[in-house]
Amino acid sequence: MPASNGEYVPKPPSKQQRAIMGLQNEKIDEMRQKFSMNRRDFVRTSAAMAIGVWAVNQVTGGSWGRFAWADGTDTTDACDLENPGSQLANLPGEFILDTQGHHVDDEGRWRVENPGFTEFLALWTSQAMGRLPGVDPPRGFGAGEVDPIENIGQFHYFKEMFLDSSTTVSLLTALPNLPDETNITPVAHAKETMDLANSLSGSQRCFIHAFSQPNRGFISRDRKPIYQDEDFAWMEQTARDIRPSGWKLYCGWGDSGAGNFHTLGSFPAMNGWWFDDDNGLAITEHIRNLSQKYGLPPVICTHKGLAFNGVFDSAKFSPRDMGIIARLYPDVTFYTYHSGYDGERQEPYPGDDKVNSSNRGVDAFIKSLRENGQDATRFIPRGLEHGNSPNSYAELGTTWWNVMHDASQAAHLLGKLITFVGPRRIVLGTDCIWYGNPQPQYVMMRAFQFTPQAKELYNLPHGLDGDRWDPRENALDGTSYQSTHPNVDGWPTDGRPHPERTIRNGILGRNAAAAYGLDPDAVRHKIDCDDVNKLREGYVENAGTAKERTPYKTNRILGPRTRREFVNFVKSPDYSP
């Protein structure tokens, strides 16, 4: 059902979504009686998650996409409760790297010095996770913390990501605000989370971004912002001492110098920046230099799309400049967060003559790449039929969340991104903890299948099970790997299936691992018996079965659920997202 991460107004539930919920609830009541379980316990099981996937497929599975656990095996009578697709254990070849995770510093200075954040976050933590114990009677697990902000703090982030989901590695990305000391997630606090996860696991279970901006202290378009030199010096100190694995930027995040506030009195001011203006070029150049100087991944991740008009400088959240900056800096990796998505319905790419890259949306992102010669169709190796953009990645945070309830939209979203960005350039982020637990997003990605019609349209004969170096080959079929490939170096020749090479497992984490220099198989080997897994195994019940459940997991969705909830806090004079 709809919920917002705080950056857009949630849509009202559609007839399809209400039908999915009704069918799911009916089947859950039937099946929980067969298992002799009460509803509260049953909805925490893998079987209940499988029923949810089945219900989505029953309502939306159509001519373009569907949800099933294996290609060619569809269930029409309830669901296959023995499937492994909903369980916490990783499937063969699976390495899940969530490229967009969030939490807040619940004891940070922002709670005093940036009170708009507190009002913003308290809105959904209280309504989604339970109100104060002693005020409302406790309702079992999930009654909520005494301080509701703690529901989206470090403890719950760690629990939701590493104990209650299939996440292998989490990227804790940054939120907009400088100076960093009053950020909702200061980089030093993010490092504490990273160090905790990595010390328990003895491997790279978590890594972080730092936020920066080139326009703090904006004066005018033709003058350097007041604090740019100060902030760039802070970036160098952070690169040297904290060593983030990339930088998170918000082009639509405006700022004002002294006495230069937005005429409506709102914050932030409507004076964001483009990557191809003076400020954008300056910060890109600075990040590239820092990466070379300190041996850091040259990765820039930027929010594009999802713009609430009147709060951000929404025009700057257009992906118009992503193709330009990728062309100008071929040695820097650019992640377009949300893939430019702005709530639009996903359909096939309509053609260049029907798309304006200055708009927001997935098609606008594709058009930006195409008009700058950076789309995947320009980089198809000899003898192959699919290519990859050289240095542009499409990230699916919130985007997948908003389309995964509709199999047709899911098919067109993934199909056109595979075509125009590339099967090795799409990465899954969940935008959690804003939505709660990320597991439903993984389960839906595991289950999604293209129909024959969609496979033909997008030239993907094996759908997401195709080899991401050559999607014409089935990575789950050992006959694909009996001899060398004439056009792909390093092609396996052992005659065995290679699930680690599927497009699906690339999206789930292996594509991002390559961009950040992680060895997925080495990381997986190290975490098999680490302390994080021991913590999870210590309380997961009936592991590996349909009745697998995590009794302390709430399964509640966070985030504003209605337009009224979202707009109420935006009206606050202290508001900042």
Side-chain angles (χ1 to χ4, degrees):
M1 298 288 274
S4 171
N5 67 348
E7 293 169 330
Y8 64 98
V9 178
K11 295 180 179 179
S14 67
K15 290 183 179 179
Q16 278 189 338
Q17 288 172 313
R18 293 187 184 279
I20 291 167
M21 293 299 292
L23 185 60
Q24 171 184 277
N25 290 342
E26 177 184 337
K27 188 58 62 174
I28 280 177
D29 192 57
E30 173 188 330
M31 298 305 297
R32 64 99 178 165
Q33 295 182 51
K34 290 185 178 181
F35 279 93
S36 300
M37 299 175 70
N38 61 46
R39 180 183 173 84
R40 183 183 297 276
D41 288 338
F42 183 75
V43 296
R44 293 193 176 96
T45 66
S46 291
M49 184 79 75
I51 287 172
V53 177
W54 166 81
V56 172
N57 193 54
Q58 294 300 104
V59 174
T60 73
S63 58
W64 297 106
R66 58 190 176 84
F67 293 94
W69 300 112
D71 195 16
T73 58
D74 196 359
T75 52
T76 56
D77 181 18
C79 55
D80 177 9
L81 297 181
E82 296 303 323
N83 79 81
S86 299
Q87 295 163 6
L88 295 180
N90 291 130
L91 301 184
E94 187 176 87
F95 174 88
I96 295 180
L97 197 167
D98 185 348
T99 59
Q100 189 172 179
H102 295 283
H103 75 63
V104 308
D105 178 4
D106 51 61
E107 297 181 350
R109 282 173 51 183
W110 64 273
R111 301 198 66 175
V112 175
E113 299 179 38
N114 199 353
F117 266 127
T118 302
E119 184 174 350
F120 170 45
L121 296 169
L123 175 76
W124 81 69
T125 53
S126 60
Q127 64 90 28
M129 296 286 283
R131 297 187 183 278
L132 306 186
V135 179
D136 288 346
R139 298 183 298 279
F141 300 117
E145 301 283 358
V146 172
D147 176 2
I149 298 299
E150 291 186 13
N151 288 316
I152 49 176
Q154 186 181 74
F155 172 86
H156 285 278
Y157 172 83
F158 185 91
K159 178 178 178 294
E160 296 285 357
M161 289 292 178
F162 299 113
L163 303 184
D164 289 346
S165 82
S166 301
T167 306
T168 313
V169 173
S170 177
L171 168 54
L172 179 56
T173 192
L175 291 160
N177 188 76
L178 285 178
D180 183 65
E181 291 79 6
T182 57
N183 196 301
I184 191 170
T185 311
V187 67
H189 185 71
K191 185 176 185 299
E192 288 180 10
T193 303
M194 177 180 70
D195 291 345
L196 170 64
N198 294 344
S199 64
L200 285 172
S201 63
S203 64
Q204 189 82 40
R205 273 281 187 131
C206 183
F207 59 108
I208 62 173
H209 282 161
F211 168 74
S212 193
Q213 66 185 98
N215 61 327
R216 188 165 72 96
F218 175 87
I219 305 171
S220 65
R221 296 295 173 195
D222 57 347
R223 297 179 62 186
K224 179 188 290 189
I226 296 171
Y227 301 109
Q228 186 176 102
D229 289 340
E230 174 185 320
D231 290 342
F232 281 16
W234 173 83
M235 290 175 65
E236 172 139 16
Q237 179 184 351
T238 299
R240 183 186 67 239
D241 298 341
I242 304 292
R243 301 187 61 79
S245 295
W247 301 86
K248 179 72 174 292
L249 309 178
Y250 287 75
C251 297
W253 184 254
D255 199 18
S256 295
N260 184 26
F261 295 101
H262 184 252
T263 56
L264 297 180
S266 62
F267 180 86
M270 303 295 126
N271 46 40
W273 50 278
W274 294 105
F275 271 105
D276 56 344
D277 67 19
D278 289 345
N279 287 330
L281 293 171
I283 199 166
T284 302
E285 188 77 24
H286 189 54
I287 289 173
R288 182 174 68 171
N289 292 339
L290 292 177
S291 299
Q292 294 173 349
K293 183 175 182 179
Y294 295 104
L296 302 175
V299 177
I300 293 176
C301 301
T302 185
H303 175 116
K304 289 290 185 178
L306 294 182
F308 179 62
N309 290 306
V311 179
F312 300 106
D313 186 350
S314 299
K316 306 304 191 301
F317 282 145
S318 160
R320 173 198 66 77
D321 49 347
M322 297 312 297
I324 298 173
I325 200 67
R327 172 172 51 82
L328 293 176
Y329 289 86
D331 56 346
V332 176
T333 298
F334 294 93
Y335 273 59
T336 299
Y337 267 38
H338 316 297
S339 299
Y341 175 77
D342 200 37
E344 76 279 6
R345 180 173 179 81
Q346 295 304 301
E347 301 286 356
Y349 184 68
D352 292 344
D353 60 331
K354 296 181 174 62
V355 180
N356 184 345
S357 63
S358 294
N359 294 333
R360 295 185 297 273
V362 176
D363 290 344
F365 170 50
I366 292 171
K367 176 66 178 297
S368 176
L369 296 181
R370 287 182 59 75
E371 63 191 8
N372 287 280
Q374 296 296 302
D375 70 286
T377 65
R378 308 290 183 94
F379 301 93
I380 299 176
R382 180 178 59 85
L384 300 180
E385 296 179 7
H386 294 81
N388 293 277
S389 176
N391 59 333
S392 293
Y393 282 71
E395 192 268 351
L396 300 179
T398 286
T399 307
W400 181 244
W401 167 266
N402 274 286
V403 305
M404 70 183 192
H405 70 279
D406 186 323
S408 291
Q409 289 198 67
H412 293 311
L413 171 72
L414 296 177
K416 61 189 175 184
L417 288 178
I418 290 170
T419 300
F420 294 110
V421 187
R424 294 164 56 198
R425 297 292 185 268
I426 307 171
V427 297
L428 180 63
T430 67
D431 227 349
C432 291
I433 195 170
W434 301 149
Y435 295 115
N437 188 275
Q439 187 70 5
Q441 299 192 49
Y442 304 152
V443 170
M444 298 302 281
M445 184 60 73
R446 287 170 173 171
F448 178 74
Q449 305 290 338
F450 285 98
T451 64
Q453 183 176 348
K455 290 177 181 179
E456 180 178 0
L457 175 64
Y458 293 110
N459 192 21
L460 296 169
H462 307 289
L464 296 186
D465 295 329
D467 185 288
R468 63 186 184 277
W469 280 266
D470 184 357
R472 298 172 300 178
E473 299 290 343
N474 186 351
L476 302 183
D477 185 348
T479 62
S480 298
Y481 304 105
Q482 292 181 336
S483 60
T484 59
H485 194 296
N487 304 110
V488 179
D489 294 336
W491 190 263
T493 58
D494 54 11
R496 299 166 54 187
H498 280 269
E500 77 280 1
R501 295 178 66 92
T502 65
I503 298 172
R504 189 188 319 275
N505 279 332
I507 295 171
L508 280 168
R510 288 178 177 266
N511 289 343
Y516 283 102
L518 296 178
D519 182 335
D521 297 307
V523 173
R524 274 179 52 129
H525 177 72
K526 287 183 179 180
I527 70 175
D528 281 343
C529 57
D530 67 17
D531 287 345
V532 177
N533 268 4
K534 290 176 183 176
L535 285 171
R536 183 166 72 178
E537 292 168 358
Y539 83 99
V540 173
E541 299 177 0
N542 303 308
T545 72
K547 293 180 71 173
E548 176 183 277
R549 71 189 187 105
T550 48
Y552 297 103
K553 180 178 174 181
T554 65
N555 274 349
R556 291 179 182 268
I557 296 173
L558 277 66
R561 306 299 297 273
T562 67
R563 181 179 182 86
R564 175 176 294 181
E565 287 181 356
F566 182 88
V567 172
N568 278 347
F569 69 85
V570 173
K571 295 178 180 178
S572 165
D574 295 321
Y575 168 75
S576 61

